[in-house]
Amino acid sequence: MIISAFNIKNRWLPDFKHSAHLFSSIIVLLLLLSSFTYASGSDNVVKIIEAEGLTRMKERELIELIDFQAGDTLNMERLSAGIKRAFRKGLFHDIKAVSEPFEGGIKLKYVVKEIPLIKEITVSGNKIISGKKIKEAFIFKDGDGFIDELLDKAIDDLRSFYQKKGFLYAEASVVVDYDRMSTIVEIHINIKEGQPQRIEKINIPYHLRAYLRLSDGDIFDRDKADRDIKRLRDYFRKHNYINPVIGPYKYVNGELSIPVIPGPRLNVSFKGNTAISTRDLMKELPFIEEEEVTDELIDETADRIRRLYRTKGYRHAEVAAAVSLQEETFDLSFFIFEGKKMYFRKIGFSGNSISHDVLMSVVSVEEERPFNPELLKKSRDSLIIFYNALGYLNVDIADIKESVYDDGIGIDIEFAVNEGHQIKIRGVEISGNIMIGTDIVKSVLKLNDGVPYNVIDIGDARHRILSLYKRFGYLDAGIEVKSRINNDEAFLNFIITENRPSVAGKIIIRGNRKTRDRIIKRELTIEEGDTYSVEEVLRMKQKIYKLGLFSEVEIDILEPDFSESNEGHLVRDMLVTLKESRPGSVEVGIGYGDYEKFRGSLEIRYRNMGGQNRQIVLRAEKSSVDEKYILNYKEPWLFKRPGLPFNAFLKIEKGESVNFDTRELYYKFDKLSFVSEIEIKLSRNLKAGLAYEYSYTDTTEVAPGAIISKEDAGTLGISSVSPSLFYDLRDNPFDPTSGSINGIVLEFASKAYLSEVEFVKGTFQSTWFFPLKKGVVFAVSLKGGLAHAFGDSKELPLMERFFLGGRTTVRGYTNDTLGPKGDNNVPTGGNVFALLNNEFRISVRKGLGVVVFLDGGNVWQLLNDIDHELKYTIGVGLRYRTPVGPVRIDYGYKLNREEGESSGELHFSFGHAF
């Protein structure tokens, strides 16, 4: 037997920014509550809670959100707040709370009706208007919630859309198919277009037909007709017609008539202007915008032109105007006397105790610049603001004296300053603070005794105290500042009203259609019961954005819905509103490199597998020397542990190494490899990684000079483990201007984990960026590597050796040509390398930059062979910044060129060299 029940329906689109709808619904709920009767005493204890009708949310999640648990006493105010909270999820059309006797208490059941999700919208019957345009005109979209009450409006909107497009008798019907649970719908739009209205003839002056998009025989599209009228109006305005009247159009029996009344035309001429072009003077005319020519507007225009001249130094410029109207034409002439251009000569100050140089840095006028009276007014205001900031509250610029030179060109300026008394702060008092100590509050004030009294500084201090309180959860704290000024001394009292601190209540996440709640919640560092910190809320918002899953993120701290406090705290729910980005993307790239020549890439990415932020990427790359196919899987939280991302790669590579100049083949290879890696963030800037790779390589057509060991040709399986450590202090990982990145990577290949060869290899790097001045960065990088084969392996395999030379190592040498060589000058690589790069990066303008670089490096066969000098190159390059990185052209010149080598090399590529 049901002894009591109430329900509330969500009759608005699920957008709770329209709080008026929500408020009115809560009023309805409270009225319903008045009829909700239940027993008192122990009979009012909730024994069990159930939920019915849920498909998109787990039962326990709804129960926790409404915030009743078994054993709680039923409270109507708390229940209403809980149901209101559940509606904020944006999932429910109707929630009904039902209670009935159960084991000496009551059973509480939530019966919900969810807002169905639109799975797909299809269009049929349309022949002329595309389905895409019909869907754009339809108020429902794929993935939206479906509201029954809006269906009639949606159909009416489609009919209106068709009528505007010229289909006066079009009919639209909509069929909504629900799934078995009524939580998913498919919408089928059926269109009967009927015969469209066609234009048999357009009545308009012949010479204006070229400006129409509509023509004889077209369907009478009213939107196009409106745009044509606007286009005609713009045409006449552009040709200086005053207030042209175009339309309204009439359509009768296939004839479209567009009345055109151009109105009077304005002819403007300027006489006597030499310093300012006619084109610039025309910009001062207001007549076309105002759509009239009056004496008042003519006088206003003359004043505008006069002010324009005076801002350019023509202090004595004068403007006169004459106008006549003849046969619907206004002839308007402006006669200009420019006079001499005047310049500021000397700028001085009187009555000032502050140095001349300091005051010159404040004013807007400069010596030897054109005279501009507007700058004098601006300088006066700047001086007053400056003096006020130093505590001179009664300062006045009594006069601005002007002295004109005999030549009539130069003018001296003197600002007569009446400073008045300087007021300084002599005491700061804090009152009203209970929970935060006075010393802590004063530490953020930054207002010491003896500093000048400045209203702006005091306001900033007030905001710093508010920020301090908000950091500790006092979101409702208020601060009043009272000042008492006695002679030249000011005494301040910051009166604090702390109010109660706020703690987090329920966390409500809405708008995530695909992404699971837990993926978002694990980025939230404030949990239920924690004290709010505004700074932490902003950090959480940034963390959610960084997931790359959402185009919009809003976090709102809501007003308390329920008056019950928690040990003196205010409990406020947190509403996280999201708008999901498209999880899938396709990227196509094309480029050119000096070694690979033309190259292209295709990447297909899906960011949110299973709604758990797991990514899968399929990428293909091809150039004249190689092709790659990569399947990549990314798990952001391995074993559900934060800060432990996991990556897995399956790679198929085919390539060849060739001589850059002759295109002579050195070797070919086919490689299949599997790589898995994890990364641990040890601190904000320090991260460690561990990778495992198994590769199977078939090396063929190897030039005899490149062979050092038996493993250099044929098939070879290598299994290796690579730990790494990186310390990154760069301000921007993609285009750094300061900071550094330092790291080391080790690689161990052993038969213990099924490798056919055994070796250990280590590489390190230390790269630094120094901003020298605006737009100039000095970058320096030091890299090195050492490898050693052991066990039965005498030499490192060809594919594992170090090579240098090319656009990212030592520019001026071609790809992989620096270091040991075999027969016929074929590069063989080595076990040791050292690389030094230096670069001045100079930003010029609009994304264009210039670099000057010095590179040095070499490769040696073994550690004992390091007895040769580094090979150095010097060069210059151009950079052009694009959204995907800088396009660069570099030319490197060899400083210690050997016989038979070229003097240098030109390199084309994307991205920085290091």
Side-chain angles (χ1 to χ4, degrees), residues 271-276 305-306 308-310 312-320 335-343 370-371 404 407-410:
K271 310 293 184 181
N273 60 306
T274 58
I276 301 178
I305 295 173
R306 192 179 298 110
L308 177 63
Y309 266 95
R310 291 179 179 179
K312 295 185 179 297
Y314 295 87
R315 185 184 189 189
H316 300 294
E318 292 296 339
V319 181
F335 301 92
I336 301 170
F337 171 75
E338 294 180 334
K340 293 181 179 180
K341 187 173 185 178
M342 302 185 69
Y343 293 86
F371 175 83
V404 181
D407 59 7
I409 295 176

Side-chain angles (χ1 to χ4, degrees), residues 829-852:
N831 291 15
V832 187
F833 86 93
L835 176 63
L836 174 66
N837 300 104
N838 302 271
E839 194 169 85
F840 286 95
R841 300 174 180 175
I842 305 166
S843 178
V844 180
R845 56 178 298 180
K846 294 183 178 180
L848 188 65
V850 177
V851 300
V852 180

Side-chain angles (χ1 to χ4, degrees), residues 343-345 347 360 363-370 375:
Y343 293 86
F344 292 116
R345 294 301 188 202
I347 310 297
M360 280 298 296
V363 297
S364 303
V365 293
E366 297 180 45
E367 294 177 352
E368 303 304 328
R369 302 293 292 177
L375 294 181

Side-chain angles (χ1 to χ4, degrees), residues 233 285 340 375 591 625 631:
R233 181 174 172 80
L285 304 184
K340 293 181 179 180
L375 294 181
V625 295
L631 181 63

Side-chain angles (χ1 to χ4, degrees), residues 786-833:
L786 176 64
H788 176 69
F790 61 89
D792 295 335
S793 304
K794 303 301 181 183
E795 299 286 349
L796 238 63
L798 177 64
M799 299 295 293
E800 295 294 336
R801 296 177 206 148
F802 297 120
F803 290 86
L804 287 185
R807 59 180 178 265
T808 60
T809 56
V810 184
R811 289 161 284 186
Y813 288 86
T814 56
N815 197 60
D816 295 346
T817 58
L818 195 56
K821 296 179 178 62
D823 296 339
N824 298 322
N825 217 30
V826 176
T828 60
N831 291 15
V832 187
F833 86 93

